[in-house]
PDB file of all heavy atoms in Angstrom:
ATOM      1  N   THR A  45     203.892 -54.329 223.498  1.00  0.00           N
ATOM      2  CA  THR A  45     205.299 -54.050 223.123  1.00  0.00           C
ATOM      3  C   THR A  45     205.354 -53.906 221.587  1.00  0.00           C
ATOM      4  O   THR A  45     204.385 -54.202 220.892  1.00  0.00           O
ATOM      5  CB  THR A  45     206.213 -55.165 223.574  1.00  0.00           C
ATOM      6  OG1 THR A  45     205.863 -56.401 222.907  1.00  0.00           O
ATOM      7  CG2 THR A  45     206.136 -55.361 225.076  1.00  0.00           C
ATOM      8  N   ALA A  46     206.493 -53.487 221.083  1.00  0.00           N
ATOM      9  CA  ALA A  46     206.667 -53.353 219.669  1.00  0.00           C
ATOM     10  C   ALA A  46     207.991 -53.989 219.265  1.00  0.00           C
ATOM     11  O   ALA A  46     208.981 -53.938 220.004  1.00  0.00           O
ATOM     12  CB  ALA A  46     206.641 -51.886 219.229  1.00  0.00           C
ATOM     13  N   PRO A  47     208.043 -54.606 218.064  1.00  0.00           N
ATOM     14  CA  PRO A  47     209.283 -55.216 217.605  1.00  0.00           C
ATOM     15  C   PRO A  47     210.365 -54.194 217.346  1.00  0.00           C
ATOM     16  O   PRO A  47     210.073 -53.065 216.960  1.00  0.00           O
ATOM     17  CB  PRO A  47     208.891 -55.933 216.313  1.00  0.00           C
ATOM     18  CG  PRO A  47     207.633 -55.284 215.872  1.00  0.00           C
ATOM     19  CD  PRO A  47     206.952 -54.800 217.089  1.00  0.00           C
ATOM     20  N   LYS A  48     211.626 -54.582 217.534  1.00  0.00           N
ATOM     21  CA  LYS A  48     212.761 -53.697 217.187  1.00  0.00           C
ATOM     22  C   LYS A  48     212.865 -53.557 215.686  1.00  0.00           C
ATOM     23  O   LYS A  48     212.243 -54.326 214.948  1.00  0.00           O
ATOM     24  CB  LYS A  48     214.029 -54.237 217.803  1.00  0.00           C
ATOM     25  CG  LYS A  48     214.004 -54.259 219.330  1.00  0.00           C
ATOM     26  CD  LYS A  48     215.326 -54.736 219.881  1.00  0.00           C
ATOM     27  CE  LYS A  48     215.326 -54.816 221.393  1.00  0.00           C
ATOM     28  NZ  LYS A  48     215.127 -53.524 222.050  1.00  0.00           N
ATOM     29  N   ARG A  49     213.651 -52.606 215.224  1.00  0.00           N
ATOM     30  CA  ARG A  49     213.747 -52.244 213.809  1.00  0.00           C
ATOM     31  C   ARG A  49     214.040 -53.464 212.933  1.00  0.00           C
ATOM     32  O   ARG A  49     213.326 -53.711 211.927  1.00  0.00           O
ATOM     33  CB  ARG A  49     214.812 -51.189 213.588  1.00  0.00           C
ATOM     34  CG  ARG A  49     215.147 -50.869 212.172  1.00  0.00           C
ATOM     35  CD  ARG A  49     214.129 -49.966 211.535  1.00  0.00           C
ATOM     36  NE  ARG A  49     214.362 -49.808 210.114  1.00  0.00           N
ATOM     37  CZ  ARG A  49     213.865 -48.868 209.379  1.00  0.00           C
ATOM     38  NH1 ARG A  49     213.099 -47.939 209.944  1.00  0.00           N
ATOM     39  NH2 ARG A  49     214.092 -48.787 208.089  1.00  0.00           N
ATOM     40  N   LYS A  50     215.037 -54.248 213.301  1.00  0.00           N
ATOM     41  CA  LYS A  50     215.388 -55.399 212.440  1.00  0.00           C
ATOM     42  C   LYS A  50     214.260 -56.389 212.358  1.00  0.00           C
ATOM     43  O   LYS A  50     213.946 -56.938 211.289  1.00  0.00           O
ATOM     44  CB  LYS A  50     216.665 -56.066 212.984  1.00  0.00           C
ATOM     45  CG  LYS A  50     217.199 -57.166 212.094  1.00  0.00           C
ATOM     46  CD  LYS A  50     218.497 -57.740 212.622  1.00  0.00           C
ATOM     47  CE  LYS A  50     219.039 -58.865 211.708  1.00  0.00           C
ATOM     48  NZ  LYS A  50     220.304 -59.413 212.193  1.00  0.00           N
ATOM     49  N   ARG A  51     213.653 -56.655 213.461  1.00  0.00           N
ATOM     50  CA  ARG A  51     212.495 -57.588 213.475  1.00  0.00           C
ATOM     51  C   ARG A  51     211.338 -57.026 212.693  1.00  0.00           C
ATOM     52  O   ARG A  51     210.604 -57.751 212.007  1.00  0.00           O
ATOM     53  CB  ARG A  51     212.106 -57.916 214.937  1.00  0.00           C
ATOM     54  CG  ARG A  51     210.937 -58.886 215.037  1.00  0.00           C
ATOM     55  CD  ARG A  51     211.337 -60.299 214.598  1.00  0.00           C
ATOM     56  NE  ARG A  51     212.155 -60.932 215.607  1.00  0.00           N
ATOM     57  CZ  ARG A  51     212.736 -62.085 215.452  1.00  0.00           C
ATOM     58  NH1 ARG A  51     212.624 -62.746 214.311  1.00  0.00           N
ATOM     59  NH2 ARG A  51     213.492 -62.629 216.436  1.00  0.00           N
ATOM     60  N   LEU A  52     211.104 -55.703 212.831  1.00  0.00           N
ATOM     61  CA  LEU A  52     210.018 -55.079 212.158  1.00  0.00           C
ATOM     62  C   LEU A  52     210.176 -55.193 210.622  1.00  0.00           C
ATOM     63  O   LEU A  52     209.240 -55.310 209.872  1.00  0.00           O
ATOM     64  CB  LEU A  52     209.891 -53.609 212.564  1.00  0.00           C
ATOM     65  CG  LEU A  52     208.571 -52.938 212.198  1.00  0.00           C
ATOM     66  CD1 LEU A  52     207.419 -53.611 212.952  1.00  0.00           C
ATOM     67  CD2 LEU A  52     208.618 -51.458 212.547  1.00  0.00           C
ATOM     68  N   GLU A  53     211.427 -55.158 210.161  1.00  0.00           N
ATOM     69  CA  GLU A  53     211.684 -55.347 208.721  1.00  0.00           C
ATOM     70  C   GLU A  53     211.207 -56.731 208.273  1.00  0.00           C
ATOM     71  O   GLU A  53     210.653 -56.864 207.180  1.00  0.00           O
ATOM     72  CB  GLU A  53     213.200 -55.184 208.447  1.00  0.00           C
ATOM     73  CG  GLU A  53     213.702 -53.777 208.585  1.00  0.00           C
ATOM     74  CD  GLU A  53     215.228 -53.665 208.420  1.00  0.00           C
ATOM     75  OE1 GLU A  53     215.868 -54.725 208.240  1.00  0.00           O
ATOM     76  OE2 GLU A  53     215.750 -52.543 208.467  1.00  0.00           O
ATOM     77  N   GLU A  54     211.441 -57.726 209.107  1.00  0.00           N
ATOM     78  CA  GLU A  54     210.964 -59.094 208.764  1.00  0.00           C
ATOM     79  C   GLU A  54     209.432 -59.138 208.737  1.00  0.00           C
ATOM     80  O   GLU A  54     208.830 -59.759 207.842  1.00  0.00           O
ATOM     81  CB  GLU A  54     211.496 -60.103 209.785  1.00  0.00           C
ATOM     82  CG  GLU A  54     213.012 -60.227 209.836  1.00  0.00           C
ATOM     83  CD  GLU A  54     213.441 -61.236 210.895  1.00  0.00           C
ATOM     84  OE1 GLU A  54     213.157 -62.419 210.752  1.00  0.00           O
ATOM     85  OE2 GLU A  54     214.038 -60.793 211.909  1.00  0.00           O
ATOM     86  N   VAL A  55     208.832 -58.501 209.734  1.00  0.00           N
ATOM     87  CA  VAL A  55     207.385 -58.461 209.815  1.00  0.00           C
ATOM     88  C   VAL A  55     206.785 -57.812 208.555  1.00  0.00           C
ATOM     89  O   VAL A  55     205.835 -58.349 207.939  1.00  0.00           O
ATOM     90  CB  VAL A  55     206.896 -57.752 211.103  1.00  0.00           C
ATOM     91  CG1 VAL A  55     205.395 -57.546 211.093  1.00  0.00           C
ATOM     92  CG2 VAL A  55     207.337 -58.467 212.329  1.00  0.00           C
ATOM     93  N   ALA A  56     207.358 -56.681 208.205  1.00  0.00           N
ATOM     94  CA  ALA A  56     206.845 -55.935 207.012  1.00  0.00           C
ATOM     95  C   ALA A  56     206.985 -56.779 205.747  1.00  0.00           C
ATOM     96  O   ALA A  56     206.046 -56.810 204.919  1.00  0.00           O
ATOM     97  CB  ALA A  56     207.594 -54.635 206.863  1.00  0.00           C
TER      98      ALA A  56
END
Side-chain angles (χ1 to χ4, degrees):
T45 63
K48 295 183 183 296
R49 171 79 188 198
K50 185 175 180 180
R51 180 69 75 187
L52 196 63
E53 290 176 356
E54 298 178 66
V55 173

